[in-house]
Amino acid sequence: VEASVPEPQREAWRKHSAREFNTSDQFEDAVVRHIETTLARSLYNVDESGAYAGTALAFRDRLVIEWNRTQQNQTSADQKRVYYLSLEFLMGRALDNAMLNVGMKDVARKGLDELGFRMEDIIDQERDAALGNGGLGRLAACFLDSLATLNYPAWGYGLRYRYGIFRQEIVNGYQMEVPDYWLEFNPWEFPRHDVTVDVQFYGTIRKYMDDSGKQHTAWENGEIVTAVAYDAPIPGYGTTTTNNLRLWSSKASHGEFDFTKFNSGEYEASVADTQRAETISAVLYPNDSLDRGKELRLKQQYFWCAASLFDIVRRFKKSKKAWSDFPNQVAIQLNDTHPTLAIPELLRILIDIEGLEWDEAWSIVQKTFSYTNHTVLPEALEKWSVPLVQNLLPRHLQIIYDINLQFLQFVERNFPKDRDMLSRVSIIEESQPKMVRMAYLAVIGSHKVNGVAELHSDLIKTTIFKDFVKIHGPDKFTNVTNGITPRRWLHQANFRLSELIASKLGGYDYLNDLTLLHKLENYVDDKDFRKEFQDIKYANKLRLARYIKEAQGITVNPASLFDIQVKRIHEYKRQQLNIFGVIHRYLELKEMSPADRKKAQPRVSIFGGKAAPGYWMAKTIIHLINQVSEVVNNDKDIGDALKVVFLEDYNVSKAEIIVPASDISEHISTAGTEASGTSNMKFVLNGGLIIGTCDGANIEITREVGEDNIFLFGNLSEDVEDLRHAHYYSGLNIDPSLQRVFDEIRNGMFGDAGQFSSLVNSITDHGDYYLVSDDFKSYVETQKLIDEAYKNQEEWLTKTITVVARMGFFSSDRCIEEYAQEIWNTEPVVPPAKPQNGA
Ligand code: GPU
């Protein structure tokens, strides 16, 4: 790999070095060349998918040139790199993003037009890269965009799943899962068959002494699986910096074992080994905020951590620096606890392989890692059974016990009076079987721990990590409120609005400094600006209405109030509260005189989101929404006054159509359960108001946009525990309006009542854990306020403009600057100037 061309021949290389297209003519050259040679097609057999492929390949060429230059430049800059370890990267489509970041979308539009294609249709050909479940994976994708845009030398490390999150089909109102085989054509990835790592599982431990009497530990005789690197370029916006996303794919190692089997006629056994190895990176686990403790998931985690760390250490060792320099060259961010095995793995490398002493290795580890927590929900906190870890990763279990021993001795010395403390903070839970608490391991092995919104970061300090604040001091714990990339979520998803903003702010600088949006407040009273702003919202609603017609066959009036809740289906996110509210509205409309019904504010309630395949309650909620949709939309009395839509297969590319089209969106989790939420930010940035609880980033959104510009309701997080207690000891207090909703469901208004009994009973008979009954009344009242407020279109418009102007804080660029300064201690690398001859 390390060969380079001798000096005398380099001139020839420079002369012939790959050139970037700059004009639409050159772009067309590249597209046609790719279609005719790479794809072996011609003008006689090229459809939109072929034109997409040609366009993607033309842009890929451009990205690759910048990517190579960036990597060379970052290596010679010799600065600290950031490694973002995430099991999920919910990237969505890459072509539009590449065109915008490279700054060549107009050139491409003209070129495509001349070749006989419409840009929008071409963009639409691409399949989403959906290697994630929801917010956690999308956050990772926004962070990659910001890291490149801000010129930070940073790599993402993840798994190359053959199947991303499943495609959702709705059949008779029920969710069905269809596999997402997304790799049929993926021009954005580069297999690196020369970049491989052998990863070991199972095996045995041998202790031995060397000649000098030093003790060693060897992990041997395990099963080996090979990790192959697949790289994808991540272009920054308005910069040539193009970072790398490295995803690992598993395959059987070609050791002698396979050959022996093969040659001795055990063909099937050898094939079975191959398949077993490939299974590791085959599929993304489709659970959001839930830990199921499956062995294959643990295998995925270790496979990915081991390959990534080997790669990082290999890169560091090339520099020939001392080990003490490792934390000055490497910052590793753990995206939730999924990559926590990287902590014992780095210790294993440093101690068992490189021969460092424990104390030195431990100090390097702590300085290298930092950990982001994304939830306080107990069912999401990862725990692995000790026997499982013992069997799969025997050496790592020993190391974890060693970490725990050192840690507990420290705690005992410092808190001699608090005897219970030791069992509370032990990495090992003394249950049957014993369990490894991954969040505690992540906290102990990191120098910083952050939550993802202020309330959430406060909550982790007073609940799940309370003892650790006492032990490590409060400075270890910090907050970085989440953000979103304005490139995808405004410029790309809502180009007309971006254009309007640019026309007032004197260009697109605001896409690199979102706080500049505040200047829009100067235009809240500008008549022309208001008109255009309103027209854009209407056009976006019209676009969504067309999509709803095409995808779901439901006709909605774009003049209605569009009320949207799109996110994973979860009891804590409370889509059930929303649909009960919709039923309540329907019942009220039914009771009105036709004249009154005419006066009511027409509304379209739009839902979207996937349920984990094994999450029955979530699937029941989807079913209820679809049944309500069926009844309401076909009720001749109701007409446009109310429509209910469940949008199939919500994903990133659909979000780009949905998000710009809301009047109201719903972020209504039980207070204290939603760590941050990020779609709340996307909707507001696109001029939609929100109805929400005092939870997650809703609180900071309120602080930024002002209390008058948001519709808050419901109980506060500090009261949740007492309310749950009250449910248990004194029963529920069900508002008559909610009781009516339950009665009608039980009477079969929405089909077989038995289908929905578990959902209704979870509230009426099983403690109403998510406080639906406590918040229903204020929810419905707040929806009434929204109807009233919407009738005053001028005031509503003023609010929507004002909130956009005040969203500057929520750029993921701001997040990355905070991580860089407070957690990673890293600096950007100035991108290289463009060479004149394209070399
Ligand atoms: N989140 Br834990 C996920 O999307 N998946 C998970 O497994 C876990 C958390 C989300 C939080 O629910 C959401 O509030 C937050 O905005 C997002 O992570 C990014 O931090």
Side-chain angles (χ1 to χ4, degrees):
V1 202
E2 291 298 291
S4 72
V5 172
E7 194 56 55
Q9 281 78 38
R10 289 190 184 178
E11 195 42 46
W13 277 83
R14 290 193 186 106
K15 184 173 151 203
H16 297 293
S17 190
R19 254 142 257 237
E20 300 177 336
F21 68 79
N22 285 302
T23 64
S24 56
D25 215 45
Q26 291 165 346
F27 166 77
E28 288 167 55
D29 252 12
V31 172
V32 172
R33 178 169 45 82
H34 275 299
I35 290 175
E36 293 184 348
T37 61
T38 317
L39 305 173
R41 293 167 85 164
S42 72
L43 72 163
Y44 300 109
N45 67 349
V46 61
D47 53 6
E48 280 172 347
S49 81
Y52 158 70
T55 307
L57 290 166
F59 272 93
R60 181 177 94 152
D61 290 347
R62 266 197 77 115
L63 292 191
V64 171
I65 295 168
E66 305 292 11
W67 190 28
N68 286 333
R69 277 155 31 86
T70 301
Q71 296 310 314
Q72 278 168 28
N73 185 243
Q74 289 182 356
T75 301
S76 57
D78 195 28
Q79 285 173 215
K80 194 185 212 179
R81 276 199 176 96
V82 177
Y83 297 104
Y84 197 80
L85 267 58
S86 180
L87 259 193
E88 304 190 6
F89 288 95
L90 196 43
M91 304 297 287
R93 290 174 174 158
L95 175 60
D96 200 0
N97 184 247
M99 292 192 294
L100 290 169
N101 283 14
V102 161
M104 287 278 151
K105 193 169 173 179
D106 289 337
V107 168
R109 184 188 304 277
K110 181 156 177 270
L112 280 171
D113 187 57
E114 282 169 2
L115 295 173
F117 293 97
R118 253 192 64 211
M119 172 72 94
E120 280 63 36
D121 301 333
I122 297 310
I123 288 173
D124 228 27
Q125 292 297 311
E126 185 173 358
R127 309 194 49 164
D128 281 31
L131 307 185
N133 276 286
L136 176 146
R138 184 55 230 177
L139 185 75
C142 284
F143 281 3
L144 291 184
D145 184 77
S146 286
L147 282 161
T149 299
L150 296 168
N151 300 311
Y152 283 98
W155 285 36
Y157 273 110
L159 280 183
R160 178 182 178 270
Y161 304 108
R162 202 154 8 114
Y163 298 93
I165 191 66
F166 62 86
R167 199 155 49 76
Q168 178 192 56
E169 282 181 13
I170 302 295
V171 179
N172 297 327
Y174 295 95
Q175 168 176 297
M176 306 289 256
E177 299 91 19
V178 180
D180 166 54
Y181 185 71
W182 68 292
L183 289 169
E184 234 159 315
F185 178 71
N186 179 9
W188 308 108
E189 66 171 11
F190 289 77
R192 305 283 193 197
H193 295 294
D194 55 334
V195 181
T196 62
V197 181
D198 280 350
V199 177
Q200 181 172 225
F201 295 103
Y202 309 105
T204 51
I205 308 295
R206 182 169 58 90
K207 299 241 183 230
Y208 64 95
M209 211 180 273
D210 67 15
D211 294 346
S212 68
K214 194 175 157 151
Q215 280 284 349
H216 293 270
T217 310
W219 175 27
E220 305 168 325
N221 304 315
E223 221 176 75
I224 307 289
V225 179
T226 301
V228 184
Y230 285 72
D231 290 347
I234 307 292
Y237 175 77
T239 171
T240 57
T241 297
T242 304
N243 282 337
N244 194 21
L245 171 60
R246 174 158 287 178
L247 303 178
W248 298 104
S249 180
S250 61
K251 67 164 198 186
S253 73
H254 294 302
E256 288 167 41
F257 197 50
D258 282 338
F259 276 106
T260 332
K261 267 191 187 169
F262 188 78
N263 291 333
S264 66
E266 290 181 67
Y267 177 70
E268 281 175 42
S270 142
V271 169
D273 283 354
T274 304
Q275 283 184 347
R276 224 151 59 91
E278 286 176 2
T279 301
I280 292 179
S281 62
V283 56
L284 165 77
Y285 274 87
N287 302 309
D288 185 84
S289 307
L290 178 71
D291 170 44
R292 302 264 254 146
K294 292 269 197 261
E295 176 173 38
L296 181 60
R297 169 80 166 189
L298 186 62
K299 274 192 161 179
Q300 289 189 332
Q301 294 185 348
Y302 180 64
F303 174 78
W304 153 61
C305 288
S308 306
L309 271 213
F310 186 93
D311 207 39
I312 292 166
V313 168
R314 170 165 63 192
R315 196 167 301 120
F316 172 76
K317 284 177 76 169
K318 274 197 207 158
S319 74
K320 303 267 191 307
K321 289 182 164 52
W323 284 110
S324 55
D325 258 335
F326 191 81
N328 303 324
Q329 294 287 302
V330 174
I332 302 179
Q333 188 66 35
L334 305 174
N335 196 25
D336 213 274
T337 54
H338 316 147
T340 303
L341 285 169
I343 290 170
E345 174 66 3
L346 182 56
L347 280 171
R348 189 186 70 84
I349 294 171
L350 295 176
I351 295 168
D352 293 1
I353 299 172
E354 302 295 339
L356 272 65
E357 295 299 330
W358 177 278
D359 287 348
E360 192 189 358
W362 180 247
S363 142
I364 290 169
V365 163
Q366 270 200 327
K367 286 180 198 153
T368 301
F369 287 104
S370 41
Y371 154 55
T372 305
N373 172 283
H374 295 266
T375 189
V376 295
L377 296 185
E379 68 270 26
L381 299 178
E382 284 191 301
K383 290 178 190 172
W384 290 106
S385 103
V386 166
L388 190 66
V389 180
Q390 166 72 54
N391 182 44
L392 190 70
L393 304 165
R395 179 59 182 138
H396 295 79
L397 188 66
Q398 283 184 345
I399 292 172
I400 292 167
Y401 270 98
D402 288 344
I403 296 170
N404 202 33
L405 182 68
Q406 302 264 334
F407 174 67
L408 292 180
Q409 283 172 350
F410 174 84
V411 175
E412 199 169 27
R413 282 198 300 277
N414 288 277
F415 301 88
K417 296 209 188 75
D418 193 345
R419 296 302 302 172
D420 287 351
M421 171 91 97
L422 293 181
S423 68
R424 285 203 310 271
V425 301
S426 173
I427 297 173
I428 307 298
E429 181 182 272
E430 295 294 326
S431 45
Q432 202 48 258
K434 291 182 182 168
M435 301 291 261
V436 184
R437 297 157 159 166
M438 301 308 273
Y440 291 4
L441 180 55
V443 169
I444 294 164
S446 298
H447 64 282
K448 285 275 179 183
V449 177
N450 75 285
V452 291
E454 275 177 20
L455 174 70
H456 170 65
S457 296
D458 287 343
L459 277 175
I460 62 177
K461 285 197 279 184
T462 52
T463 60
I464 53 176
F465 301 142
K466 189 173 172 196
D467 289 317
F468 294 88
V469 175
K470 282 193 215 145
I471 295 165
H472 293 128
D475 291 352
K476 182 162 185 167
F477 295 85
T478 184
N479 171 247
V480 182
T481 298
N482 281 166
I484 56 173
T485 169
R487 273 77 63 180
R488 181 174 296 255
W489 296 113
L490 178 51
H491 191 55
Q492 182 176 317
N494 198 348
F495 182 68
R496 258 182 85 183
L497 182 57
S498 182
E499 222 178 12
L500 174 64
I501 293 169
S503 76
K504 293 303 176 198
L505 268 45
Y508 289 99
D509 286 357
Y510 85 92
L511 289 173
N512 287 108
D513 176 3
L514 202 62
T515 63
L516 294 174
L517 281 181
H518 76 88
K519 294 188 195 163
L520 280 185
E521 291 212 40
N522 298 332
Y523 299 91
V524 275
D525 298 323
D526 178 318
K527 252 186 99 198
D528 295 340
F529 178 81
R530 290 174 66 89
K531 169 88 172 49
E532 176 67 5
F533 194 98
Q534 195 168 33
D535 287 353
I536 291 169
K537 178 59 82 178
Y538 187 83
N540 290 332
K541 289 170 70 177
L542 190 62
R543 175 171 68 163
L544 179 57
R546 288 207 187 99
Y547 179 73
I548 290 171
K549 180 75 190 173
E550 180 190 301
Q552 289 340 125
I554 299 169
T555 308
V556 301
N557 183 347
S560 300
L561 188 164
F562 277 22
D563 172 346
I564 305 181
Q565 187 176 19
V566 282
K567 50 185 86 224
R568 287 299 288 253
I569 312 294
H570 226 295
E571 286 165 282
Y572 88 78
K573 294 178 189 284
R574 297 202 295 191
Q575 283 91 353
Q576 71 276 40
L577 175 60
N578 185 342
I579 195 65
F580 294 152
V582 170
I583 296 172
H584 169 74
R585 177 178 293 268
Y586 174 60
L587 297 175
E588 285 205 318
L589 285 167
K590 287 293 275 183
E591 279 178 350
M592 284 178 193
S593 68
D596 282 347
R597 222 178 279 141
K598 268 223 170 69
K599 278 185 245 151
Q601 170 58 48
R603 204 184 259 247
V604 183
S605 275
I606 299 163
F607 294 81
K610 293 172 187 177
Y615 189 174
W616 293 107
M617 197 63 87
K619 289 186 150 178
T620 301
I621 293 170
I622 292 177
H623 186 209
L624 179 59
I625 295 168
N626 281 305
Q627 291 299 113
V628 172
S629 167
E630 190 69 24
V631 170
V632 172
N633 298 349
N634 294 312
D635 189 326
K636 296 281 176 300
D637 296 343
I638 299 299
D640 269 358
L642 180 62
K643 288 275 183 255
V644 182
V645 178
F646 188 92
L647 278 171
E648 209 169 53
D649 196 42
Y650 176 60
N651 62 14
V652 172
S653 55
K654 281 169 198 156
E656 289 169 31
I657 301 170
I658 296 166
V659 164
S662 79
D663 294 305
I664 280 284
S665 66
E666 308 219 8
H667 309 276
I668 59 176
S669 49
T670 311
T673 63
E674 188 71 277
S676 162
T678 42
S679 76
N680 42 7
M681 302 165 191
K682 294 167 196 166
F683 281 105
V684 181
L685 183 62
N686 283 279
L689 303 185
I690 64 183
I691 177 168
T693 44
C694 293
D695 200 18
N698 291 353
I699 295 173
E700 286 139 283
I701 292 175
T702 307
R703 187 171 68 205
E704 295 295 312
V705 305
E707 278 189 40
D708 296 344
N709 297 315
I710 189 167
F711 297 94
L712 293 177
F713 74 97
N715 285 282
L716 303 180
S717 83
E718 57 256 42
D719 299 322
V720 167
E721 213 185 278
D722 288 349
L723 287 164
R724 283 180 185 157
H725 257 262
H727 291 177
Y728 189 80
Y729 290 106
S730 8
L732 305 186
N733 189 352
I734 295 185
D735 190 80
S737 61
L738 181 60
Q739 189 57 54
R740 269 243 16 232
V741 170
F742 290 163
D743 292 345
E744 294 298 355
I745 294 174
R746 283 176 172 149
N747 289 340
M749 181 177 266
F750 305 102
D752 180 7
Q755 303 272 353
F756 308 117
S757 56
S758 63
L759 175 60
V760 175
N761 293 350
S762 74
I763 296 161
T764 54
D765 299 3
H766 299 123
D768 188 15
Y769 189 75
Y770 295 101
L771 312 187
V772 171
S773 62
D774 305 273
D775 286 347
F776 187 76
K777 196 157 174 253
S778 71
Y779 175 71
V780 167
E781 280 166 8
T782 307
Q783 289 286 18
K784 281 242 156 60
L785 290 179
I786 289 169
D787 288 328
E788 287 313 307
Y790 194 73
K791 286 189 176 146
N792 188 336
Q793 280 287 301
E794 286 306 314
E795 248 176 58
W796 185 274
L797 181 57
T798 301
K799 284 184 198 290
T800 62
I801 295 169
T802 307
V803 296
V804 173
R806 296 179 181 177
M807 284 301 283
F809 180 71
F810 298 98
S811 169
S812 47
D813 296 349
R814 186 263 314 149
C815 307
I816 292 304
E817 296 290 17
E818 286 182 19
Y819 278 100
Q821 279 160 34
E822 305 293 321
I823 297 176
W824 302 329
N825 193 20
T826 47
E827 298 289 329
V829 170
V830 181
K834 264 192 193 297
Q836 293 310 303
N837 63 351

